[in-house]
Amino acid sequence: MKDIVKEQIKNLPVYETGKPIEYVAREFGLDPDGILKMASNENPLGASPKALEAVRKHISTLNYYPDGGCYELRQKLAKFWNLQPNQFAFGNGSNELLEFVAQCYVDKDDETVFGAQSFIVYKLATIFMGGKCVSVPMPNLKYDLDMLRDAVSEKTKIVFMTNPNNPTGCVLKQDEVVNFVKSLPENVIFCYDEAYAEYEENQVDLRPLIAEGRNVICLRTFSKIYGLAGLRIGYAYTNEQIAGYINRAREPFNVNTLAQVGALAAIDDVEFVEQSRKINNEGRKQFEKAFADLGLEYFSEGGNFVMVKHNKALEAFVQMQKQGVIVRPNVGYGLPDWLRITIGKPEQNQRCIEELKKTL
């Protein structure tokens, strides 16, 4: 079998998700209802109530295939973003769209450029297509845009960037991102991952660059602030030509019916988004104060999570699981001394802090 499988599959790392509640319950003999998961940046308020209501109403339609073109969602997002319907492509989460982008533009020996501590799927998608990963150091857990730009070569097909970045949480401002994109060669795709953008008061807007004809692909997800992670739906907005290529790469019916109707309703749930952002901002301050009081180094700028340094991070990760609190170690990102913690409700944050204290 090793002789016939593709080389890139042999070398492809397996993506490790945040530890599911059920796994921890089995491993440590715990009651699942008492386990607190703060590892995967899920919304602690649950799903958008409007989305839940819409999903319930459509349960009886599951014998039909979904709308393969996401027509209604496409029309609604076009109005929401003041773009044309043919500028959108949809995926089973924005994660799938990253794979589509790589399929469209990365061939054997092509290069992609991204931050060393940015979302690992950029690396996985590149390797899967036989491309070469150019991983750029991120001093102090932040993007160095000069270093990132210097890494772009004649072989570069895509530059990936997340803002706020996952897992570090660093945030870039409008001018920084725009000037960086303008510095790129015209034949390079800039793939801009906005999974956590809704948590920011001042979001970067790259639509003017798309209107200028630059090769910009922006990705959004309903998994984070809208709380629809279990439905798996995300979308890309870009120029008409690039959207057309992505739509050729995707499989038929890749976004299920319940995901589409849930997303349609969630867009209108402004109150839920504002409440989620408020809880997140308050929780960030709660963690920052606790880390400072404990004398722990931490990094906290954006997204719905914080990073904290721990000299025995992996041991702390296991010890906290035994007490029913799941956080995320960052060994796979080259940060073995750091834990990423999803911001939850006040009482959830406090429980996490108390269990973290016990590991010190």
Side-chain angles (χ1 to χ4, degrees):
M1 185 57 65
K2 288 183 179 179
D3 295 333
I4 61 176
V5 72
K6 291 181 178 180
E7 281 300 318
Q8 58 260 43
I9 300 300
K10 293 180 184 178
N11 300 323
L12 189 67
V14 176
Y15 178 77
E16 295 185 14
T17 64
K19 205 96 174 270
I21 288 174
E22 295 77 12
Y23 284 33
V24 173
R26 286 195 297 268
E27 186 174 351
F28 298 105
L30 302 175
D31 179 358
D33 292 337
I35 294 176
L36 177 59
K37 185 184 178 188
M38 306 182 76
S40 299
N41 303 340
E42 294 143 334
N43 192 326
L45 299 181
S48 153
K50 289 187 177 181
L52 288 176
E53 182 181 358
V55 167
R56 291 189 190 102
K57 289 180 179 179
H58 285 79
I59 289 292
S60 63
T61 68
L62 298 187
N63 56 310
Y64 297 110
Y65 283 105
D67 172 8
C70 300
Y71 178 83
E72 290 188 28
L73 187 56
R74 182 184 301 276
Q75 301 300 316
K76 191 157 193 170
L77 285 170
K79 292 180 180 178
F80 182 86
W81 287 106
N82 194 27
L83 295 169
Q84 296 302 311
N86 58 9
Q87 291 183 254
F88 291 87
F90 296 88
N92 189 252
S94 56
N95 192 107
E96 186 181 49
L97 287 158
L98 290 168
E99 296 171 7
F100 292 159
V101 172
Q103 288 174 33
C104 288
Y105 294 101
V106 178
D107 211 338
K108 193 176 187 306
D109 298 326
D110 289 335
E111 295 180 353
T112 68
V113 174
F114 47 83
Q117 281 78 45
S118 57
F119 192 33
I120 200 166
V121 172
Y122 309 149
K123 175 182 178 180
L124 301 184
T126 302
I127 294 173
F128 184 75
M129 296 309 299
K132 178 183 176 183
C133 301
V134 180
S135 178
V136 180
M138 296 178 65
N140 304 314
L141 306 183
K142 295 185 177 185
Y143 283 112
D144 185 317
L145 295 181
D146 290 333
M147 290 176 63
L148 205 64
R149 177 62 184 84
D150 289 344
V152 175
S153 71
E154 293 181 356
K155 293 184 178 181
T156 303
K157 286 295 186 69
I158 305 172
V159 175
F160 291 106
M161 179 184 288
T162 324
N163 189 32
N165 182 57
N166 175 30
T168 68
C170 64
V171 176
L172 293 169
K173 296 179 180 178
Q174 174 82 18
D175 289 346
E176 292 176 306
V177 179
V178 168
N179 291 335
F180 177 79
V181 176
K182 288 183 176 181
S183 76
L184 295 174
E186 291 184 358
N187 61 341
V188 170
I189 297 289
F190 181 68
C191 189
Y192 186 62
D193 189 343
E194 301 180 279
Y196 301 94
E198 287 93 351
Y199 285 102
E200 300 305 303
E201 297 292 344
N202 300 309
Q203 299 177 31
V204 173
D205 184 3
L206 298 186
R207 285 175 295 172
L209 296 182
I210 294 173
E212 288 177 13
R214 294 184 183 274
N215 294 326
V216 173
I217 304 171
C218 297
L219 304 181
R220 291 265 175 159
T221 182
F222 286 92
S223 295
K224 302 305 178 183
I225 207 164
Y226 292 109
L228 303 184
L231 289 179
R232 308 304 299 129
I233 179 166
Y235 63 95
Y237 60 97
T238 179
N239 65 52
E240 177 184 351
Q241 187 178 31
I242 292 176
Y245 291 141
I246 295 173
N247 279 314
R248 292 182 188 186
R250 70 174 181 82
E251 296 179 4
F253 313 118
N254 64 319
V255 179
N256 70 73
T257 297
L258 299 185
Q260 291 185 46
V261 299
L264 270 167
I267 295 170
D268 293 330
D269 208 341
V270 177
E271 181 181 348
F272 180 76
V273 169
E274 291 177 350
Q275 184 185 12
S276 298
R277 191 182 294 127
K278 180 176 181 292
I279 287 288
N280 192 68
N281 291 339
E282 292 171 352
R284 182 178 304 284
K285 293 175 183 177
Q286 184 180 359
F287 272 115
E288 289 174 349
K289 183 180 185 305
F291 294 153
D293 290 345
L294 292 171
L296 295 174
E297 183 180 346
Y298 65 90
F299 191 90
S300 171
E301 283 190 0
N304 63 339
F305 52 89
V306 292
M307 292 275 288
V308 62
K309 196 169 187 179
H310 193 300
N311 61 358
K312 294 183 179 179
L314 282 177
E315 292 181 23
F317 165 62
V318 174
Q319 186 174 332
M320 292 176 73
Q321 283 183 88
K322 291 179 179 178
Q323 302 304 315
V325 177
I326 312 171
V327 295
R328 187 71 178 265
N330 284 280
V331 176
Y333 286 96
L335 300 170
D337 298 330
W338 290 83
L339 297 171
R340 191 190 69 189
I341 302 174
T342 304
I343 298 171
K345 299 176 184 178
E347 63 275 16
Q348 294 172 329
N349 299 336
Q350 192 56 44
R351 180 182 169 190
C352 181
I353 290 165
E354 294 302 321
E355 294 302 335
L356 182 66
K357 282 182 184 179
K358 297 175 184 177
T359 70
L360 299 175

